Amino acid sequence: MTEPDVASSDATNIECRIERDGDHYVINGTKWWSSGAGDPRCALYIVMGKTNPEAGRHEQQSMVLVPADTAGITVKRHLSVFGYDDAPHGHMEIELRNVRVPVENILLGEGRGFEIAQGRLGPGRIHHCMRSIGAAERALELMCQRAIARTAFGKTLAQQTVTQERIAEARCSIEQARLLTLKAAYMMDTVGNKVAKAEIAMIKIVAPSMALKVIDWAMQVYGGMGISQDTPLAYMWAGQRTLRFADGPDEVHRNSLAKLELARHMKLPTGGVDMPITRGS
């Protein structure tokens, strides 16, 4: 989905074109952050692009299967994440120039790309948040181990009030995020992704930020070691910071959540203005 020249958090911005030419589709565009494309086993791309720019806002996009060895594909470069290359998985910038694939490679049909993307993103966000909670748990475990073992100014770090406060706050934050994630998963199972969209937005806002806070505190307890390769904390921090972009940036989820919340408090006009009843009215 993601493209370098547009704000891809809004999938309707996508500029990659998928145009019908007889029994083939011709694809032109540039994608980046194509995860997995660096793995030599990657034999197939799923490309999202516009098949009909004149259609409704969410019916313009389609998804098509493109074999990785198709003529016209250029893997331009590898993108690192805070210096980590994630090899061999990798995240690539890929150029597609007059790439031709058979029409039967379209997924579900023209105009259904946005529908496919939305169907995947809800469960994908749950998985991300589960991993965020796991990362925070690991960071808290490392923080406690270090605090017990390390002495500074005549006391272990575990005896320092600031460390105790952070350990307690970390535990509270993890449990709050865990329960919110469980609620979102339960609602997806029982009432579906569409009804659970507020809860899905909430966990995507809450879980990565919570994990970043806990990991940051763990880094502080480790000092210089915490930002080196001697612990997993720096890599964990990079992954969680990236999650504040992946599957939609925080700002998009906050806007969506605010609109849903405001909608709960709005009423259809009845010829007058609904006023709250106050004491003395």
Side-chain angles (χ1 to χ4, degrees), residues 102-128:
V103 292
E104 56 263 29
N105 285 26
I106 200 86
L107 294 178
L108 291 187
E110 289 191 12
R112 300 186 68 180
F114 198 88
E115 172 191 345
I116 297 169
Q118 288 301 108
R120 186 206 72 84
L121 287 171
R125 287 164 184 152
I126 284 278
H127 285 222
H128 282 320

Side-chain angles (χ1 to χ4, degrees), residues 57-202:
R57 188 162 179 261
H58 296 105
E59 288 76 45
Q60 298 178 11
Q61 306 82 13
S62 303
M63 288 193 185
V64 64
L65 298 175
V66 180
D69 59 358
T70 306
I73 294 176
T74 303
V75 178
K76 295 180 68 175
R77 60 174 175 148
H78 165 265
L79 297 160
S80 64
V81 181
F82 291 101
Y84 295 102
D85 63 9
D86 287 335
H89 179 78
H91 313 280
M92 301 297 172
E93 181 174 352
I94 301 174
E95 186 177 64
L96 303 102
R97 288 289 171 262
N98 296 318
V99 173
R100 300 178 68 89
V101 296
V103 292
E104 56 263 29
N105 285 26
I106 200 86
L107 294 178
L108 291 187
E110 289 191 12
R112 300 186 68 180
F114 198 88
E115 172 191 345
I116 297 169
Q118 288 301 108
R120 186 206 72 84
L121 287 171
R125 287 164 184 152
I126 284 278
H127 285 222
H128 282 320
C129 293
M130 290 164 59
R131 286 190 286 271
S132 293
I133 292 164
E137 282 283 9
R138 178 65 175 138
L140 179 56
E141 178 186 16
L142 290 169
M143 178 163 54
C144 290
Q145 291 172 355
R146 176 71 166 184
I148 291 167
R150 189 74 160 184
T151 299
F153 304 104
K155 294 191 294 186
T156 65
L157 296 182
Q159 292 173 302
Q160 308 283 355
T161 303
V162 65
T163 306
Q164 293 174 2
E165 289 177 352
R166 287 175 175 176
I167 289 170
E169 182 65 27
R171 174 48 64 201
C172 292
S173 298
I174 291 170
E175 296 308 321
Q176 289 169 342
R178 190 196 313 277
L179 287 172
L180 187 57
T181 302
L182 284 168
K183 180 188 178 186
Y186 171 78
M187 289 187 65
M188 288 172 64
D189 282 345
T190 55
V191 296
N193 296 5
K194 189 171 183 178
V195 178
K197 59 187 175 183
E199 283 71 20
I200 294 169
M202 280 188 271

Side-chain angles (χ1 to χ4, degrees), residues 233-244:
L233 293 170
Y235 184 69
M236 289 161 59
W237 190 93
Q240 294 304 311
R241 185 61 185 84
T242 303
L243 272 186
R244 292 186 57 202

Side-chain angles (χ1 to χ4, degrees), residues 11-20 25-26 48-63 106 109-114:
T12 61
N13 283 334
I14 286 175
E15 293 181 344
C16 177
R17 288 300 310 274
I18 303 174
E19 298 176 281
R20 182 76 179 259
Y25 285 109
V26 180
M48 185 165 173
K50 286 190 176 181
T51 43
N52 183 5
E54 306 304 319
R57 188 162 179 261
H58 296 105
E59 288 76 45
Q60 298 178 11
Q61 306 82 13
S62 303
M63 288 193 185
I106 200 86
E110 289 191 12
R112 300 186 68 180
F114 198 88

Side-chain angles (χ1 to χ4, degrees), residues 1-8 13-16 30-32 48:
M1 292 175 60
T2 314
E3 299 180 3
D5 295 331
V6 297
S8 300
N13 283 334
I14 286 175
E15 293 181 344
C16 177
T30 300
K31 301 289 183 178
W32 72 345
M48 185 165 173

